[in-house]
């Protein structure tokens, strides 16, 4: 996906979210917003939203003199997500379709998105996710791909959400023990996306193969990935792409067998998918 006109205002507004997250004073807040507004005049419509956002966030981090703009917020998101784990484990254990339940849990976690135009409440999402149908439902086809796969890559998205991804991978490993699973994260802090730091803290290095993609974008931009990540992406039997940022970067992609799992949180992505804001999606391409 390339950026649309609607994306510009959304990206500019993110400067205010950053200012709030870091407790910026009025002077710094003004500098952040004016800088992003000035940058917006040169946004390239040949790039995806995550590629444009990467330049904006790197500039804001430089101005704020803070390597990880959302460090404290990410810690709180992780703690909040962890509080739901006992309940979610019970739901999985008592489910007649453990994979479907775990998949929906992974999608519910996708609401933890600080770059989204529309924000959703995590507790509310968890309350209703088990009774919500996928608006685009390729779950059966996804299951068939898993049955035939030997190497599966899960593209991580946001911190907090990654705690739910852990449960998702855990269930898939139990159901498909011959599959080699990989969890791929961002190359450096960008918005509230998961990096090696948060993934290791959550134990992914002990759960499955943990891979640093090398990308500096809030989405898997293949051209910016390191060689290891590109080779893994190309050789995997199935890619499970979490969240809107990965969808935006991989629509279209040079490969097939990508399953997009996400909550629709903006009109541009809703239009691309032929869905509505608030819908949950399991789309295999």
């Amino acid at each position: 996906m390339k950026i649309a006109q609607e994306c510009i205002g959304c990206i500019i507004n993110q400067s205010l979210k950053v200012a709030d997250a870091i407790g910026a004073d009025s002077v710094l807040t003004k500098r952040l917003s004016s800088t992003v507004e000035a940058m917006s005049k040169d946004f390239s419509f040949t790039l995806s939203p995550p590629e444009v956002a990467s330049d904006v966030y790197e500039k804001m981090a430089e101005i704020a003199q803070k390597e990880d703009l959302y460090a404290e917020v990410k810690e709180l998101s992780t703690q909040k997500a962890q509080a739901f784990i006992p309940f979610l484990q019970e739901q999985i254990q008592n489910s007649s379709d453990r994979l479907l339940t775990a998949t929906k849990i992974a999608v519910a976690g996708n609401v933890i998105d600080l770059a989204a135009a529309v924000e959703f409440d995590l507790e509310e999402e968890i309350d209703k996710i088990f009774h919500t149908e996928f608006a685009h439902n390729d779950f059966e086809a996804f299951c068939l791909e898993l049955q035939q796969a030997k190497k599966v890559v899960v593209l991580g998205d946001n911190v907090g959400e990654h705690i739910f991804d852990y449960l998702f991978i855990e269930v898939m490993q139990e159901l498909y023990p011959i599959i080699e699973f990989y969890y791929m994260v961002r190359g450096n802090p960008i918005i509230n996306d998961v990096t090696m730091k948060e993934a290791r803290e959550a134990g992914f290095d002990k759960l499955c193969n943990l891979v640093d993609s090398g990308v500096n974008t809030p989405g898997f931009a293949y051209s910016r990935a390191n060689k290891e990540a590109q080779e893994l992406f190309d050789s995997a039997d199935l890619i499970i792409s979490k969240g809107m940022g990965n969808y935006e970067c991989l629509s279209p992609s040079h490969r097939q067998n990508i399953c997009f799992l996400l909550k629709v949180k903006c009109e541009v992505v809703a239009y691309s998918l032929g869905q509505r804001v608030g819908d949950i999606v399991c789309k295999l391409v």
Side-chain angles (χ1 to χ4, degrees):
M1 284 179 59
K2 308 304 181 189
I3 64 166
Q5 193 65 39
E6 298 94 318
C7 300
I8 295 176
C10 180
I11 293 173
I12 291 173
N13 287 339
Q14 287 176 36
S15 65
L16 300 178
K17 291 186 178 182
V18 167
D20 182 61
I22 64 176
D25 60 22
S26 59
V27 175
L28 180 55
T29 298
K30 178 63 177 177
R31 188 180 174 197
L32 289 169
S33 61
S34 61
T35 298
V36 175
E37 192 166 350
M39 291 177 73
S40 71
K41 295 177 172 58
D42 296 317
F43 285 171
S44 171
F45 284 84
T46 66
L47 299 176
S48 67
E51 288 175 305
V52 173
S54 69
D55 296 333
V56 169
Y57 273 86
E58 284 180 2
K59 187 62 178 178
M60 286 196 288
E62 177 188 323
I63 291 171
Q65 298 182 337
K66 189 174 174 64
E67 182 182 357
D68 189 345
L69 291 167
Y70 282 115
E72 293 79 12
V73 177
K74 289 195 292 186
E75 288 184 14
L76 291 173
S77 295
T78 298
Q79 292 169 13
K80 185 172 184 178
Q82 287 172 332
F84 289 102
I85 294 302
F87 169 74
L88 297 175
Q89 287 175 327
E90 183 179 358
Q91 293 299 309
I92 292 170
Q93 194 64 36
N94 296 333
S95 174
S96 59
D97 189 335
R98 295 172 66 223
L99 180 58
L100 177 59
T101 299
T103 303
K104 285 190 173 182
I105 286 170
V107 175
N110 187 229
V111 303
I112 306 173
D113 187 349
L114 301 181
V118 178
E119 296 182 4
F120 295 88
D121 181 76
L122 179 60
E123 187 168 358
E124 182 180 323
E125 288 301 307
I126 290 173
D127 283 342
K128 68 182 183 182
I129 193 67
F130 306 113
H131 312 290
T132 302
E133 298 297 323
F134 287 112
H136 186 113
N137 193 349
D138 287 337
F139 181 74
E140 288 188 12
F142 167 60
C143 291
L144 289 175
E145 291 298 331
L146 278 175
Q147 291 169 17
Q148 304 170 54
K150 295 181 180 178
K151 183 192 294 185
V152 173
V153 174
V154 180
L155 299 178
D157 191 28
N158 299 316
V159 171
E161 178 181 354
H162 75 301
I163 299 298
F164 297 170
D165 292 344
Y166 189 101
L167 295 177
F168 178 44
I169 294 174
E170 198 171 44
V171 169
M172 288 192 291
Q173 284 182 328
E174 292 173 4
L175 296 175
Y176 304 99
I178 68 167
I179 296 179
E180 192 171 9
F181 285 95
Y182 295 79
Y183 192 65
M184 194 177 290
V185 299
R186 310 294 187 235
N188 58 271
I190 179 78
I191 316 185
N192 64 322
D193 288 47
V194 61
T195 67
M196 291 292 281
K197 175 182 180 294
E198 295 86 20
R200 284 198 180 107
E201 289 172 351
F204 278 89
D205 53 333
K206 299 177 181 64
L207 174 72
C208 61
N209 299 288
L210 182 58
V211 181
D212 184 337
S213 67
V215 303
N216 65 341
T217 47
F220 183 74
Y222 181 88
S223 63
R224 299 194 186 193
N226 58 42
K227 186 177 179 181
E228 177 192 5
Q230 288 181 340
E231 290 177 350
L232 180 58
F233 181 85
D234 291 338
S235 64
D237 299 304
L238 175 66
I239 303 293
I240 300 174
S241 169
K242 292 293 307 301
M244 290 202 313
N246 287 322
Y247 173 77
E248 289 166 339
C249 286
L250 296 174
S251 301
S253 171
H254 62 272
R255 66 155 292 158
Q256 296 178 314
N257 282 28
I258 302 177
C259 183
F260 294 105
L261 295 176
L262 66 140
K263 174 93 169 178
V264 180
K265 291 164 287 193
C266 83
E267 293 291 351
V268 175
V269 170
Y271 178 79
S272 172
L273 287 164
Q275 305 299 332
R276 298 174 299 177
V277 172
D279 284 343
I280 60 172
V281 169
C282 175
K283 180 175 183 177
L284 184 68
V285 297

